[in-house]
Amino acid sequence: MTPSPEPEGVSIFAISSRVATIALVLFAIAITYAPLAQAQTYAVLANFFGSNGTNPLYVTLDAAGNIYGTTFYGGPYGTFGPGTVFKLTRRSSGWLLTTLYNFYGQHDGGNPWGGVTFGPDGSLYGTASGGGLQGHGVVYKLQPPTTICRTVFCPWTETVLYNFTGGADGEGPQGNLVFDRAGNIYGTTLAAQSGNFGALYELSPSQGHWNLTVIHTFTNSSDGGGPANGVIFDQAGNVYGTTETGGSHNLGVVYEFTPGTSGWTETVLHNFAGGSDGEDPAGLALDSHGNLYGFTEAGGGPGWGVAFELQPATDGFSYSIIYTFQPQPGGAPGFITVPILDSAGNVYGSGTSGGMHEAGVIFKLTPSTGSWNFTSLHDLTGRDGYEPGGGLAFDAQGNLYGCAENGGAGNFGVVWKITP
């Protein structure tokens, strides 16, 4: 789904193929302070204004509580520039926003449509949906300066690990990367110019280089098409994800890939049928019992999507709808929304539309005697953010963090925090 631009900012649901020609590459660091609101449940930690990024989506936390993320557009090369990687650090009574890296849309990649992930070596890993040697996107690594940094104006160093070709490996990598126990990287691409419908890939380190293996190229038939929001692992090393399209009804699937001596085997766990069943699934979350949770962008009785659960069964997985989103106050979760679970088994997410102000809503689903209760944690107004989505994160104290891709003081998105 590709919504038209909203007045609060710019929608990013279409992969940008623009590659900017930059005569002079500058590392610019944008700094913003946001006061901490001790008595509030919801607080805006950072506002984006274009020069420091446009359209944030995903956040990642380190052990010290610092926040890392990406913006799809913006940076020193203009409001519609090729994006940034940023860091938020607590400073006294506020938060300090610094830019770790400004993409310039050439061989380094551009327009990151996923967040960053910490690797085993402590570096940040991510993808950019455009740019690279062939213009089809890259997988990159960011490392801090090798010498002691005595000011905040210390950009990180980028290394491109892989350039997508647009062939069997696809183009437009999207969603977060994930590492297995051996240090291999897994991710997905949405599509390719060659006519395939995206790919699931593995990157393996070897003597200072990274080799890419295509685990599966989707055909948009029974196997699904357009894998969205990356993948997740279970304890046995099986990989799970969703596709936007394909399957029995061409409305998307939930899939599992199982490793074996002769490669990986795909099993479709659920074919979305539309109607009350839902359609166009987004990302997945996995609990300690092996249950999968996710949202759909559309379908359900009112057509605003559903929250679903897949429980392991003797003959596969059992699919059930745990909540049907309503126009008010639930709202449609949206294509890029990925659920997150707390230790009590509650499911958290965000609706890119809906809410009392129709600017989006951050919500919690709580299991209760065989059903699930919906609680709105915050209804956005536009001034404090618009269209929340992407991925969420908890800190050690149970605070919830996320982004809204539009709105805020600069109209180009915010990073927010909800205190329980």
Side-chain angles (χ1 to χ4, degrees):
M1 185 175 84
T2 307
S4 59
E6 301 289 350
E8 298 289 346
V10 182
S11 178
I12 67 169
F13 292 104
I15 298 175
S16 173
S17 61
R18 299 174 297 105
V19 179
T21 302
I22 307 299
L24 180 64
V25 180
L26 300 174
F27 287 102
I29 301 220
I31 304 173
T32 301
Y33 289 94
L36 292 173
Q38 302 295 337
Q40 286 184 303
T41 299
Y42 177 93
V44 173
L45 306 185
N47 288 278
F48 292 89
F49 297 91
S51 61
N52 65 349
T54 302
N55 303 136
L57 274 177
Y58 298 82
V59 291
T60 301
L61 271 64
D62 64 15
N66 301 307
I67 305 168
Y68 300 79
T70 59
T71 65
F72 187 81
Y73 286 131
Y77 311 119
T79 298
F80 301 104
T84 71
V85 180
F86 65 84
K87 177 182 179 181
L88 272 166
T89 308
R90 188 186 295 271
R91 286 290 186 270
S92 183
S93 60
W95 290 78
L96 176 68
L97 172 64
T98 58
T99 301
L100 301 182
Y101 187 76
N102 289 297
F103 290 96
Y104 49 99
Q106 298 186 353
H107 292 171
D108 67 328
N111 304 113
W113 204 358
V116 287
T117 301
F118 281 98
D121 61 350
S123 301
L124 291 175
Y125 293 78
T127 62
S129 64
L133 290 177
Q134 302 186 59
H136 299 301
V138 304
V139 178
Y140 64 85
K141 177 174 73 171
L142 287 178
Q143 295 172 291
T146 55
T147 58
I148 296 175
C149 183
R150 303 188 184 280
T151 71
V152 296
F153 298 97
C154 296
W156 289 32
T157 300
E158 187 210 37
T159 302
V160 173
L161 306 183
Y162 183 76
N163 290 275
F164 290 93
T165 68
D169 59 349
E171 67 174 349
Q174 186 271 335
N176 285 347
L177 298 172
V178 62
F179 283 82
D180 66 12
R181 294 173 181 173
N184 304 305
I185 300 172
Y186 296 77
T188 55
T189 57
L190 274 175
Q193 289 184 349
S194 62
N196 72 43
F197 291 86
L200 169 63
Y201 62 85
E202 174 189 0
L203 273 170
S204 303
S206 175
Q207 299 180 344
H209 300 280
W210 289 79
N211 299 320
L212 184 135
T213 301
V214 176
I215 295 174
H216 184 74
T217 300
F218 292 88
T219 66
N220 205 42
S221 56
S222 60
D223 61 335
N229 292 295
V231 292
I232 57 175
F233 276 96
D234 66 12
Q235 291 297 316
N238 302 308
V239 173
Y240 300 88
T242 65
T243 68
E244 276 195 283
T245 59
S248 300
H249 308 280
N250 200 31
L251 296 174
V253 306
V254 179
Y255 63 81
E256 174 188 15
F257 278 90
T258 305
T261 56
S262 58
W264 294 80
T265 301
E266 184 193 28
T267 302
V268 172
L269 305 182
H270 183 72
N271 289 279
F272 290 92
S276 61
D277 177 57
E279 59 187 85
D280 300 335
L284 295 173
L286 181 73
D287 70 12
S288 58
H289 303 290
N291 302 310
L292 295 167
Y293 297 86
F295 306 131
T296 69
E297 178 186 4
W304 285 66
V306 303
F308 62 86
E309 177 183 11
L310 281 160
Q311 295 180 313
T314 54
D315 57 347
F317 280 76
S318 174
Y319 177 86
S320 61
I321 296 168
I322 63 174
Y323 186 77
T324 299
F325 293 100
Q326 305 298 317
Q328 299 291 341
F335 163 64
I336 50 172
T337 301
V338 182
I340 188 172
L341 308 175
D342 65 14
S343 58
N346 303 306
V347 180
Y348 297 76
S350 58
T352 57
S353 56
M356 302 307 294
H357 305 281
E358 298 186 1
V361 60
I362 302 156
F363 62 83
K364 170 183 174 183
L365 294 172
T366 306
S368 177
T369 60
S371 63
W372 291 73
N373 297 326
F374 176 95
T375 302
S376 173
L377 301 179
H378 183 72
D379 289 313
L380 280 76
T381 66
R383 296 183 299 276
D384 59 0
Y386 182 80
E387 290 188 330
L392 309 176
F394 282 110
D395 66 13
Q397 291 73 43
N399 300 305
L400 182 66
Y401 298 83
C403 299
E405 67 162 304
N406 295 312
N411 282 340
F412 291 119
V414 305
V415 177
W416 52 260
K417 170 185 175 182
I418 290 180
T419 304

